[in-house]
């Protein structure tokens, strides 16, 4: 069903109604992902008083070819229309070379970015560390003693940042009885089944147990680690996560529009995946990272933090991980993927097709927002990675 046929009647017909039960399922996600605030409680992330201007420098790049997710030759123009893409922005040297919108999106429509939220959270950590508000080598329970009986009792903030926690949690998005289902109930993302006792997100985090692996020696991708990181920030700053994000990152980088983040019944904010932002503001964020933390001449994120992301990821830990086949020769540091260690290509990546792709040599930032039906489709991930690389090659 086309996105423009959803939620258009008053009231909508049952087959066109987007609800808490179906908002992440196709075709309802094409409306749900850009209207999260109408489905879930949220907290505001205030933008800048004076936004950073984005100049236009259009390039005809729709003809660029690459091998698509189905193994067949395609072009950028065709792929945008054939792969549930909602927004696509290309910045070259900080100017908009191309932007494309579908499914009711525009340059200023907030869209959920799922685990791209993690990279935003990891970036914020560098600012807080630079301000002396926390130390990555501090113990988590020095900030959040409520976690002393959980797996996080033996962790440092650095373990959270690098997904190096030995936690017994399986990040399987499609297991109907798995850890992720219970996690979504705690975050308020899914209705609680009848007869099941309610639990809030922070309470759920405190229940997480170890898997016997030593912290710091592995890469094991688990979203709850980032939610704990957001909780640590709140304790370090004595502020809600949304306000910290606005004060230290979102407003200083020159965001044009307010962002927002989902919250649970106890006002816990989903740092791991609940941020909703506009395409152009996500492009501004990516460009700041490309410029080594600088936006409009101002050092927003310490340049050393960006350098650390590029230089300190552990390729051996990555090679042993469950995601190694998806991004061969990658590494992970401070919630960012370095997918090409030679060319220093950085990516932020979220389920259902959300991307930031940063190619320093090509002076390029690419944003993709999407409403893919499958949370994690490896063929689509690889297809779009080839597409991004082809765009970078065009500009080199």
């Amino acid at each position: 069903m086309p996105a423009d046929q959803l939620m258009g009647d008053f009231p909508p017909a049952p087959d066109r109604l987007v609800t808490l039960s179906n908002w992440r399922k196709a075709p309802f996600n094409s409306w749900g992902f850009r209207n999260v605030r109408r489905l879930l409680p949220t907290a505001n992330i205030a933008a800048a008083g004076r936004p950073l201007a984005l100049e236009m420098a259009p390039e005809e790049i729709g003809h660029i070819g690459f091998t698509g997710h189905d193994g067949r030759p395609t072009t950028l123009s065709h792929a945008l229309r054939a792969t549930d893409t909602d927004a696509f922005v290309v910045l070259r040297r900080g100017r908009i070379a191309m932007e494309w919108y579908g499914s009711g999106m525009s340059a200023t429509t907030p869209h959920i970015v799922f685990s791209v939220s993690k990279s935003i959270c990891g970036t914020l950590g560098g600012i807080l560390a630079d301000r002396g508000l926390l130390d990555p080598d501090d113990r988590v329970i020095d900030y959040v003693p409520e976690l002393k009986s959980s797996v996080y009792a033996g962790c440092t903030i650095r373990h959270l940042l690098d997904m190096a926690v030995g936690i017994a949690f399986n990040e399987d998005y499609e297991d109907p009885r798995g850890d992720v289902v219970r996690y979504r109930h705690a975050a308020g993302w899914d209705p609680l089944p009848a007869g099941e006792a309610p639990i809030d997100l922070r309470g759920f985090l405190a229940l997480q147990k170890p898997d016997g692996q030593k912290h710091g020696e592995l890469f094991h991708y688990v979203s709850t680690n980032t939610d704990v990181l957001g909780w640590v920030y709140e304790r370090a700053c004595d502020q809600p996560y949304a306000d910290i994000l606005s004060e230290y990152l979102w407003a200083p980088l020159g965001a044009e529009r307010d962002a927002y983040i989902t919250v649970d019944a106890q006002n816990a904010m989903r740092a791991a995946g609940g941020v909703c932002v506009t395409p152009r503001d996500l492009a501004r964020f990516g460009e700041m990272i490309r410029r080594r933390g600088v936006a409009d001449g101002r050092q927003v994120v310490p340049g050393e933090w960006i350098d650390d992301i590029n230089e300190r990821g552990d390729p051996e830990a990555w090679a042993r991980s469950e995601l190694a086949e998806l991004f061969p020769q990658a590494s992970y540091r401070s919630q960012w993927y370095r997918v090409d260690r030679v060319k220093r290509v950085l990516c932020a990546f979220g389920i259902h097709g959300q991307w930031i792709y940063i190619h320093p040599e090509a002076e390029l930032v690419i944003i993709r927002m999407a409403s893919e039906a499958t949370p994690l489709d490896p063929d689509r991930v690889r297809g779009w990675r080839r597409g991004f690389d082809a765009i970078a090659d065009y500009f080199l």
Side-chain angles (χ1 to χ4, degrees):
M1 182 183 299
D4 60 3
Q5 294 182 18
L6 295 167
M7 300 292 285
D9 301 321
F10 308 95
D15 63 338
R16 300 181 182 186
L17 180 65
V18 184
T19 69
L20 193 62
S21 297
N22 67 14
W23 70 280
R24 294 188 319 280
K25 301 173 184 176
F28 307 101
N29 58 353
S30 64
W31 188 94
F33 289 178
R34 57 186 168 85
N35 289 283
V36 173
R37 181 159 267 175
R38 293 170 63 176
L39 297 162
L40 290 159
T42 61
N44 203 58
I45 301 167
R50 188 183 68 179
L52 175 66
L54 287 177
E55 299 179 15
M56 302 294 296
E59 292 268 359
E60 292 294 334
I61 61 174
H63 67 281
I64 292 175
F66 58 97
T67 302
H69 68 278
D70 57 2
R72 299 178 181 178
T74 188
T75 64
L76 177 58
S77 291
H78 181 268
L80 290 173
R81 291 168 173 81
T83 60
D84 306 299
T85 301
D86 299 329
F88 198 84
V89 182
V90 178
L91 292 189
R92 178 89 197 292
R93 297 173 178 164
R95 299 177 176 88
I96 298 176
M98 175 194 176
E99 57 184 345
W100 182 94
Y101 300 102
S103 300
M105 282 290 293
S106 73
T108 55
T109 305
H111 189 290
I112 192 167
V113 294
F114 292 105
S115 289
V116 172
S117 306
K118 294 180 174 69
S119 300
I120 294 171
C121 186
T123 302
L124 179 58
I127 302 171
L128 302 184
D130 184 64
R131 300 291 182 91
L133 292 164
L134 56 79
D135 185 326
D137 293 326
D138 287 345
R139 297 188 310 166
V140 169
I141 57 171
D142 289 339
Y143 297 83
V144 188
E146 292 93 330
L147 296 174
K148 63 183 179 182
S149 297
S150 77
V151 62
Y152 297 108
C155 293
T156 66
I157 296 171
R158 172 51 64 193
H159 294 146
L160 300 177
L161 284 163
D162 293 350
M163 294 290 180
V165 178
I167 181 174
F169 188 103
N170 183 11
E171 189 104 353
D172 184 341
Y173 303 108
E174 298 188 271
D175 182 348
R177 301 181 183 277
D179 295 324
V180 173
V181 170
R182 293 186 290 274
Y183 176 40
R184 288 170 178 159
H185 292 156
W189 278 31
D190 283 345
L192 192 68
E196 186 169 317
I199 187 170
D200 63 277
L201 179 57
R202 294 188 185 104
F204 181 78
L205 299 177
L207 295 176
Q208 299 312 302
K209 300 301 181 184
D211 66 354
Q213 299 292 316
K214 186 177 180 181
H215 305 315
E217 294 186 354
L218 73 165
F219 172 84
H220 178 35
Y221 185 91
V222 172
S223 288
T224 59
N225 297 339
T226 313
D227 291 317
V228 172
L229 192 59
W231 194 358
V232 168
Y233 294 174
E234 291 179 323
R235 288 290 173 78
C237 300
D238 196 27
Q239 291 177 269
Y241 180 75
D243 293 353
I244 300 166
L245 186 52
S246 171
E247 178 180 344
Y248 291 98
L249 181 58
W250 209 243
L253 70 82
E256 179 183 14
R257 298 296 177 101
D258 290 356
Y260 61 88
I261 185 170
T262 68
V263 303
D264 77 347
Q266 301 295 327
N267 208 37
M269 300 178 189
R270 185 99 186 264
V275 174
C276 303
V277 302
T278 71
R280 284 190 178 177
D281 280 339
L282 198 61
R284 288 179 172 94
F285 171 70
E287 177 66 9
M288 180 202 63
I289 298 296
R290 186 187 75 83
R291 291 180 176 269
R292 198 169 168 266
V294 173
D296 199 22
R298 178 181 181 181
Q299 192 77 48
V300 178
V301 182
E304 294 81 3
W305 191 259
I306 310 299
D307 295 341
D308 183 84
I309 290 170
N310 275 308
E311 296 165 4
R312 295 289 300 278
D314 185 347
E316 293 184 3
W318 177 268
R320 297 191 300 267
S321 77
E322 62 269 34
L323 293 178
E325 291 186 8
L326 196 61
F327 299 128
Q329 305 302 314
S331 59
Y332 191 88
R333 182 75 167 174
S334 295
Q335 311 270 303
W336 282 90
Y337 300 88
R338 187 179 179 185
V339 296
D340 188 322
R341 297 199 298 272
V342 175
K343 297 180 180 179
R344 301 172 73 90
V345 176
L346 286 180
C347 288
F349 173 71
I351 58 172
H352 297 285
Q354 325 311 316
W355 284 88
I356 303 174
Y357 172 96
I358 302 171
H359 194 297
E361 187 179 354
E363 300 174 279
L364 188 72
V365 174
I366 301 175
I367 303 301
R368 181 177 184 253
M369 296 173 168
S371 50
E372 294 175 357
T374 302
L376 184 59
D377 183 332
D379 289 334
R380 290 200 178 211
V381 173
R382 296 185 186 102
W384 273 110
R385 168 71 193 285
R386 291 190 291 268
F388 301 146
D389 289 346
I391 296 170
D393 289 342
Y394 172 85
F395 282 113
L396 284 173

